[in-house]
Amino acid sequence: LGQMFAGQGVYSSPYGQLGGWNAGSTWNGLFRHCTRRTVWDASYTVSLYTIQQALLNRQGFQEIQTGPSNSLSPVPSPIPIDLQPFTNEVITSKRGQVSVSGFTAKSRLTVGAYQETRRGQTSANDQNVIGFSAIWNWQFTRRTVSTVQAAWQQIDNLNNVNGSGNNDLAYVSVGLSRLISPEIFGYLEFRHLQQDSDTAENQYDENRVTASLNVMF
């Protein structure tokens, strides 16, 4: 089973066409191929957006995952690590992304990669971004799912604005989801993040433990 979609639009505003080299046009191409045990996805988009729109729409590397047998509540999706610094302008983006998911009776493994170029409407804060991600869900009991996630991303600030150059960000997390009752769902996660940068103030390490309890009524 395969699906393909492509479309074109024009971005308009009171100030005319924005985005410079893109001249206001947007493109969206999607491809999906499904077999009995795999799903193959590819997409290519040329878009114009603001940081406010990105924060509202961003879902991270992948869609929210569910247990292989859909017997559990959704497992939290990976964090969106590919956002750029806050800016009050329109950004032109060219982004290509591919992923493949493999299934067994009780597990799901998804790996993906993306590459994106960004150009600001007025500033010189142009960027090239590449990233890789992987997520593995394993339902080892009827009510419990383990989730292992890993990702790496590099942001290259092409014009070295404000002295910034390359930023490499990596994270890994291990989580456990438990359906305690039909109305209560718990999640426990350990996450480690590390960013290396050409500038010392952009470097950091973080270890985080998160516990959540969702009650439906």
Side-chain angles (χ1 to χ4, degrees), residues 37-213:
R37 293 289 187 184
T38 63
V39 176
W40 303 76
D41 287 303
S43 65
Y44 180 75
T45 59
V46 179
S47 61
L48 296 144
Y49 64 91
T50 64
I51 293 298
Q52 291 87 346
Q53 290 173 321
L55 290 173
L56 286 173
N57 298 330
R58 183 69 66 183
Q59 297 182 8
F61 284 104
Q62 298 133 8
E63 297 176 354
I64 293 177
Q65 307 291 326
T66 58
S69 64
N70 294 320
S71 62
L72 293 178
S73 298
V75 173
S77 63
I79 60 173
I81 66 173
D82 57 339
L83 289 175
Q84 61 267 50
F86 289 102
T87 181
N88 192 28
E89 64 178 335
V90 175
I91 299 161
T92 302
S93 166
K94 282 188 173 183
R95 182 183 178 100
Q97 186 164 325
V98 294
S99 68
V100 57
S101 298
F103 305 87
T104 67
K106 294 186 177 182
S107 68
R108 170 175 176 165
L109 174 65
T110 301
V111 294
Y114 60 88
Q115 190 276 332
E116 181 179 0
T117 57
R118 303 164 176 161
R119 291 191 179 182
Q121 174 198 359
T122 57
S123 73
N125 190 24
D126 298 340
Q127 296 179 326
N128 183 57
V129 184
I130 58 173
F132 305 92
S133 67
I135 179 171
W136 176 47
N137 292 332
W138 176 37
Q139 185 172 352
F140 57 90
T141 73
R142 188 173 66 88
R143 292 176 174 264
T144 309
V145 170
S146 64
T147 303
V148 179
Q149 306 177 43
W152 174 85
Q153 174 185 273
Q154 181 182 80
I155 296 180
D156 182 11
N157 292 284
L158 301 178
N159 297 319
N160 201 28
V161 176
N162 298 323
S164 60
N166 294 340
N167 294 318
D168 293 345
L169 178 62
Y171 87 86
V172 62
S173 71
V174 179
L176 194 65
S177 308
R178 174 74 176 176
L179 189 64
I180 302 170
S181 74
E183 295 81 22
I184 302 176
F185 173 75
Y187 186 70
L188 178 66
E189 180 192 53
F190 170 78
R191 174 178 292 167
H192 173 74
L193 293 97
Q194 178 175 325
Q195 177 163 290
D196 297 319
S197 176
D198 293 344
T199 55
E201 59 268 23
N202 287 336
Q203 298 188 113
Y204 70 91
D205 291 297
E206 178 186 273
N207 293 305
R208 178 183 299 183
V209 176
T210 302
S212 64
L213 191 66

